[in-house]
Amino acid sequence: MDTAAAGTEVLLERAMRRALELARLGPSGGPNPQVGCVLLGPDGDVLAEGWHRGAGTPHAEADALAKVPEGAAAGATAVVTLEPCDHTGRTGPCSVALIDAGVARVVVAQPDPNPLAAGGAERLRAAGVAVEIGVLGDEAAALNERWATALRLGRPWVTAKWASSLDGRIAAADGSSRWITGPAARADVHRRRAEHGAILVGSGTVLTDDPALTARDGDALLPHQPRPVVVGLREPAPDAAVRAHPEPLLRVRSHDPAAALEAIADTGATSAFLEGGPTLLSAFLAADLVDEVLVYLAPTLLGGDRLATLDLGVPTIGAQRRLTIREVHRLGDDLLVVAHPDHREA
């Protein structure tokens, strides 16, 4: 590779990393992927940046193009984390917007897995625009893994979370559980809640623990709040904390995990943060409807029978539900283990 080509490759990778940063500014867990765009002039200078702010708002490419004067994008390179859409919905196709703006080159991290929106690269090439796909593709795929999985499976991605002692207990003998883990672990939970479109618990947990189900930074609410979902036949009390949630409460009057996910999908959410308790958590695990497991382990021992999970339908060791550990983090005195079911890794 000659010096000029190497320099261009570095420039495009740098721009794509910035586009990924911009994408993360947009909401996650909703019906749309997180997408960022950087417009580069012919000399490599940044002309504009854009990102998608949620359903019904301009897509990342349109957001960036709107920030430059008419005609200023002629001959530019658009660096985008996801293939420009070729679909007309609440907004027009980004492929056409780029062509109309006179963009000469489009560099894409990841092809669009949505068959309803894909085809932008083909339209761009047909119009004479150079298209390159695959720059930082793995990073882009990881960013929208939950959205893409929900698209493929036809149901929201489910992250199941619990905090336990090293001997696997989630509460003391009297049922008290605040707090098993320390402040760093609890802050991490709230950050991850905010990355999902919904947060769900069983009605028994609401009656016992009265959780708010909000995503917070200290006492302040985070900008994005997952929609609270209560699954089960028992009604939350009129003054239950969840009724004060900034997002409307979704009640699923059923014990069926699939019914809960269908109701969540109807709201437009593509990911759900499952907080339990053990009955609901075990139902989702037994039904093979969990895509990610977060286990916060505290350096303490509780004993007793307050376990995170109940019967999972594992009659023999040969039927055990194996997980692949993706990440391990130290959070203060606690450990976080992030794992996925083995078949999700296939």
Side-chain angles (χ1 to χ4, degrees):
M1 182 183 299
D2 61 36
T3 303
T8 299
E9 184 175 314
V10 170
L11 176 67
L12 293 177
E13 183 172 316
R14 185 183 301 122
M16 187 63 77
R17 291 200 183 281
R18 175 56 182 163
L20 288 166
E21 291 177 1
L22 294 166
R24 294 185 184 96
L25 297 175
S28 61
N32 299 102
Q34 293 176 289
V35 184
C37 174
V38 174
L39 283 178
L40 299 177
D43 57 0
D45 289 343
V46 175
L47 297 177
E49 299 178 338
W51 68 92
H52 184 49
R53 291 167 174 79
T57 66
H59 289 188
E61 301 93 324
D63 183 43
L65 288 170
K67 296 173 182 176
V68 298
E70 185 176 354
T77 295
V79 179
V80 194
T81 58
L82 187 69
E83 178 186 3
C85 69
D86 199 46
H87 169 69
T88 299
R90 281 186 272 187
T91 60
C94 293
S95 56
V96 173
L98 291 166
I99 293 167
D100 290 346
V103 169
R105 185 182 186 189
V106 177
V107 178
V108 175
Q110 181 191 15
D112 194 331
N114 185 353
L116 295 177
E122 183 178 349
R123 182 187 289 269
L124 287 163
R125 290 188 178 111
V129 179
V131 178
E132 178 182 351
I133 298 178
V135 176
L136 300 185
D138 289 344
E139 288 89 335
L143 174 67
N144 285 307
E145 181 181 18
R146 293 171 188 154
W147 170 80
T149 300
L151 186 69
R152 175 171 56 83
L153 295 178
R155 62 157 177 81
W157 165 287
V158 176
T159 298
K161 164 263 172 183
W162 66 86
S164 75
S165 59
L166 285 182
D167 57 350
R169 272 60 179 182
I170 61 170
D174 65 355
S176 59
S177 60
R178 296 184 179 179
W179 298 103
I180 291 176
T181 54
R186 298 198 297 273
D188 188 76
V189 170
H190 282 275
R191 179 182 65 79
R192 292 175 185 270
R193 282 181 176 182
E195 294 174 350
H196 291 73
I199 179 169
L200 67 157
V201 295
S203 57
T205 295
V206 171
L207 293 171
T208 301
D209 297 337
D210 194 27
L213 300 185
T214 51
R216 302 182 300 278
D217 180 5
D219 293 330
L221 293 176
L222 292 173
H224 173 70
Q225 292 293 317
R227 183 168 183 174
V229 183
V230 176
V231 181
L233 302 181
R234 291 179 287 178
E235 286 298 318
D239 61 348
V242 71
R243 295 193 184 277
H245 197 286
E247 293 294 322
L249 173 64
L250 175 62
R251 284 288 287 115
V252 180
R253 295 173 177 85
S254 169
H255 293 126
D256 181 7
L261 292 182
E262 182 177 355
I264 292 169
D266 287 343
T267 71
T270 53
S271 65
F273 197 76
L274 172 58
E275 291 258 6
T279 301
L280 186 64
L281 174 61
S282 300
F284 269 82
L285 289 167
D288 193 25
L289 291 174
V290 171
D291 304 290
E292 180 175 60
V293 173
L294 307 178
V295 183
Y296 295 84
L297 291 171
T300 188
L301 303 173
L302 294 174
D305 59 359
R306 302 277 185 166
L307 299 172
T309 62
L310 308 176
D311 181 21
L312 299 180
V314 181
T316 176
I317 196 66
Q320 63 185 294
R321 295 173 178 268
R322 299 288 302 179
L323 305 174
T324 296
I325 294 179
R326 280 259 189 121
E327 306 166 33
V328 178
H329 301 280
R330 180 76 178 261
L331 301 170
D333 292 331
D334 306 314
L335 291 179
L336 166 61
V337 178
V338 182
H340 288 192
D342 271 0
H343 62 86
R344 297 284 188 267
E345 305 296 315

